[in-house]
């Protein structure tokens, strides 16, 4: 038996007046997702436990079968693992976004949490300059992907309330600065980053080209090094993970997965969808389970981009799921695939367009068995529907209030 977990990040939403009180998922043309729903079983799952951040880190730990209340320590340590930064047991890692601040009269607003989705090649130069000018024997900055970077504070403070920048787009920045023990260090880094970045050649060129400047850093998502047991130790399966996002790769590294990098995977609307699907099909020749994460619906949601989100969902359906289904159907006679396959499809969390950030409501899921596969417990319960969208949440037949229990159910354990 082969297993595929397919995550459309932030795909779930709320009804929008602009779409005649439908969601982007309801409006999008998704014949492949609808097929899975009609031939598999549907239910809903709460991936974000109360009391923890409403983030992809918490949600994806849940989906992978790890109780976040036990294993979650923060977002940034997971990203550190992805970019090869080792964290001492007393060190604290912070996510460091390159952002665009805009001054209106005497007030400063956070205009863009991603600095216009700045390319990694440009961002790396800016982070190197930040580390050179603001780094020290106790604080270092490390380059990641696009706007997503890292700060490590040796024996640092972490009991600080930090707000994700994508939660405050368009709002006055001073109302959302870090608060708590050690806040003054973070304030200093964030305030001093402005003059360092403003006159950098990268930003001079971006101004000339009419692009958003990366004129500040924003620190958040802090935590210490986690201790997560390997997925194979828990389930007896060899796993692989495909994502463009360092956070997801870091989770995969801690889970003991093979990290499968795909050329052209950007984490945005221009990502290489087909490349991810084809990489998964190749990986399944030697692995038991592949976890595929697609970030583009979430990115469109954070930008309030309705058309972009609909397109991202449709591309996810046709270019990822469609390619996967054709490939798996062709390969059921392959000796490495005999026994069939099973797919778990879901958003990791909701990211409503009108909020431009994550929300805590349950999300729909579908478990799809191949015709060649044996019927496990996941196919013996649940209500069949002819669509994959938020209406499935009303289905009370198959409900997981503790999201980390869904993986056991999916694997028939």
């Amino acid at each position: 038996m082969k297993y595929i977990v397919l995550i459309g990040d932030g795909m779930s939403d709320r009804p929008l007046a602009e779409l005649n009180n439908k969601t982007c998922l309801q409006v999008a043309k998704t014949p492949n997702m609808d097929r899975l729903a009609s031939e598999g079983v549907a239910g809903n799952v709460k991936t974000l436990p109360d009391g923890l951040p409403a983030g992809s880190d918490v949600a994806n730990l849940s989906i992978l079968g790890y109780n976040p209340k036990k294993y979650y320590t923060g977002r940034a340590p997971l990203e550190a693992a992805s970019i090869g930064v080792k964290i001492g047991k007393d060190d604290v890692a912070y996510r460091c976004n390159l952002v665009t601040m805009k001054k209106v009269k005497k007030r400063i607003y956070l205009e863009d949490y991603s600095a216009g989705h700045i390319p990694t090649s440009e961002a790396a130069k800016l982070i190197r300059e930040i580390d050179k000018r603001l780094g020290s024997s106790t604080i270092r900055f490390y380059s990641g992907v696009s706007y997503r970077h890292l700060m490590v504070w040796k024996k640092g403070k972490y009991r600080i309330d930090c707000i994700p920048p994508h939660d405050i787009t368009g709002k006055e920045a001073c109302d959302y600065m870090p608060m708590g023990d050690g806040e003054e260090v973070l304030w200093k880094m964030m305030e001093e980053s402005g003059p360092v970045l403003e006159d950098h050649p990268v930003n001079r060129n971006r101004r000339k080209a009419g692009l958003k400047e990366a004129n500040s850093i924003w620190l958040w998502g802090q935590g210490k090094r986690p201790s997560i047991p390997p997925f194979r130790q828990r389930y007896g399966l060899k796993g692989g993970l495909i994502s463009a996002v360092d956070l997801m790769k870091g989770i995969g590294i801690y889970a003991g997965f093979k990290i499968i990098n795909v050329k052209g995977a950007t984490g945005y609307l221009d990502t290489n969808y087909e490349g991810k699907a084809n990489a998964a099909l190749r990986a399944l020749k030697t692995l038991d389970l592949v976890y595929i994460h697609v970030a583009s619906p979430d990115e469109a949601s954070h930008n309030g981009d309705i058309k972009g989100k609909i397109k991202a969902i449709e591309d996810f359906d046709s270019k990822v799921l469609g390619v996967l289904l054709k490939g798996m159907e062709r390969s059921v006679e392959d000796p490495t695939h005999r026994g069939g396959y099973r797919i778990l499809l879901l958003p990791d969390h909701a990211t409503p367009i009108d909020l431009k950030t994550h929300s805590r409501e349950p999300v729909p899921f579908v478990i799809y068995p191949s015709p060649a596969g044996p019927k496990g417990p996941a196919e013996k319960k649940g209500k069949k529907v002819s669509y994959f969208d938020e209406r499935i949440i009303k289905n009370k037949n198959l409900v997981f209030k503790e999201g980390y229990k869904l993986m056991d159910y999916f694997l028939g354990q």
Side-chain angles (χ1 to χ4, degrees):
M1 173 70 79
K2 300 290 181 175
Y3 300 94
I4 300 170
V5 182
L6 192 51
I7 306 296
D9 195 334
M11 196 160 54
S12 197
D13 211 307
R14 296 174 182 174
L16 293 165
E18 298 91 331
L19 299 177
N20 295 319
N21 289 320
K22 293 184 177 181
T23 69
C24 294
L25 193 52
Q26 288 175 310
V27 169
K29 295 179 176 63
T30 57
N32 294 301
M33 286 191 270
D34 294 344
R35 174 191 162 189
L36 262 59
S38 64
E39 297 180 13
V41 292
N44 72 78
V45 56
K46 183 175 173 63
T47 61
L48 296 170
D50 295 335
L52 290 179
S56 292
D57 40 14
V58 173
N60 282 279
L61 281 172
S62 287
I63 296 167
L64 277 164
Y66 297 101
N67 184 349
K69 290 187 175 181
K70 182 177 181 180
Y71 296 110
Y72 179 72
T73 63
R75 180 187 187 107
L78 300 170
E79 298 185 339
S82 175
I83 61 178
V85 175
K86 294 183 178 180
I87 303 174
K89 65 182 181 69
D90 296 321
D91 299 343
V92 182
Y94 282 78
R95 161 72 94 81
C96 176
N97 273 46
L98 286 172
V99 301
T100 304
M101 295 291 192
K102 184 177 182 180
K103 190 171 184 179
V104 181
K105 295 182 180 179
K106 294 184 178 182
R107 299 178 183 273
I108 298 176
Y109 296 85
L110 196 147
E111 183 181 15
D112 191 318
Y113 69 90
S114 69
H117 283 86
I118 185 169
T120 300
S121 58
E122 295 181 9
K125 296 175 183 177
L126 296 178
I127 293 298
R128 281 198 295 270
E129 188 68 16
I130 287 289
D131 186 55
K132 178 181 176 182
R133 301 276 292 276
L134 304 184
S136 67
S137 60
T138 57
I139 289 178
R140 293 293 310 276
F141 293 85
Y142 299 90
S143 179
V145 176
S146 183
Y147 61 90
R148 314 175 191 96
H149 308 282
L150 195 72
M151 182 189 89
V152 176
W153 184 358
K154 189 175 182 180
K155 296 184 179 179
K157 307 287 187 179
Y158 67 96
R159 298 189 184 280
I160 306 176
D161 290 331
C162 297
I163 307 297
H166 51 254
D167 284 4
I168 59 170
T169 301
K171 297 179 180 179
E172 193 170 354
C174 67
D175 292 337
Y176 300 94
M177 294 292 283
M179 299 293 290
D181 182 23
E183 64 184 45
E184 67 283 353
V185 176
L186 304 190
W187 283 47
K188 184 174 185 288
M189 294 291 109
M190 292 162 73
E191 289 171 357
E192 291 184 354
S193 70
V196 172
L197 293 170
E198 186 175 5
D199 199 42
H200 193 281
V202 166
N203 276 319
R204 289 204 301 267
N205 291 335
R206 290 181 71 81
R207 280 196 293 272
K208 289 178 183 177
L211 301 172
K212 290 179 179 177
E213 300 172 50
N215 57 14
S216 181
I217 62 171
W218 190 272
L219 301 170
W220 63 288
Q222 72 275 17
K224 292 189 172 185
R225 187 178 68 199
S227 178
I228 298 174
F231 188 89
R232 189 174 184 180
Q233 178 181 306
R234 301 189 66 205
Y235 294 109
L237 299 173
K238 291 189 296 181
L241 182 137
I242 297 173
S243 176
V245 179
D246 279 331
L247 166 66
M248 294 303 306
K249 293 179 182 179
I251 291 174
I253 289 169
Y254 274 108
F257 280 7
K258 178 181 180 181
I259 305 303
I260 303 161
N261 294 308
V262 175
K263 186 176 181 180
T266 64
Y268 197 51
L269 299 176
D270 61 352
T271 197
N272 183 2
Y273 295 97
E274 295 99 328
K276 289 187 174 185
N278 286 317
L281 292 169
R282 290 192 296 271
L284 283 167
K285 292 184 178 295
T286 56
L287 300 176
D288 303 307
L289 180 148
V290 175
Y291 195 96
I292 308 167
H293 171 266
V294 178
S296 52
D298 189 63
E299 291 289 346
S301 297
H302 286 309
N303 289 323
D305 182 357
I306 295 174
K307 289 183 179 179
K309 183 167 187 177
I310 292 171
K311 185 178 190 306
I313 291 170
E314 292 180 343
D315 285 344
F316 175 85
D317 182 83
S318 62
K319 299 178 181 180
V320 181
L321 180 53
V323 172
L324 280 171
L325 286 172
K326 288 179 182 177
M328 293 305 291
E329 286 162 2
R330 284 197 302 266
S331 66
V332 290
E333 296 304 319
D334 186 317
T336 62
H337 285 196
R338 281 182 185 158
Y341 61 93
R342 190 171 291 157
I343 297 174
L344 171 61
L345 164 71
L346 72 163
D348 50 357
H349 52 69
T351 310
I353 286 277
D354 58 355
L355 297 182
K356 295 184 180 180
T357 191
H358 308 159
S359 59
R360 293 186 175 276
E361 59 257 42
V363 295
F365 73 82
V366 162
I367 294 174
Y368 172 82
S370 71
K375 303 297 183 184
E379 283 72 57
K380 295 176 182 176
K381 289 178 65 177
K383 182 180 178 182
K384 289 190 178 295
V385 294
S386 59
Y387 48 81
F388 182 78
D389 61 49
E390 297 84 356
R391 287 175 290 175
I392 291 172
I393 298 170
K394 297 178 182 178
N395 172 15
K396 304 303 180 184
N397 234 21
L398 192 55
V399 177
F400 289 87
K401 293 182 179 180
E402 295 175 296
Y404 70 93
K405 294 182 178 180
L406 176 60
M407 181 57 69
D408 288 357
Y409 189 76
F410 171 57
L411 298 177
Q413 299 193 8

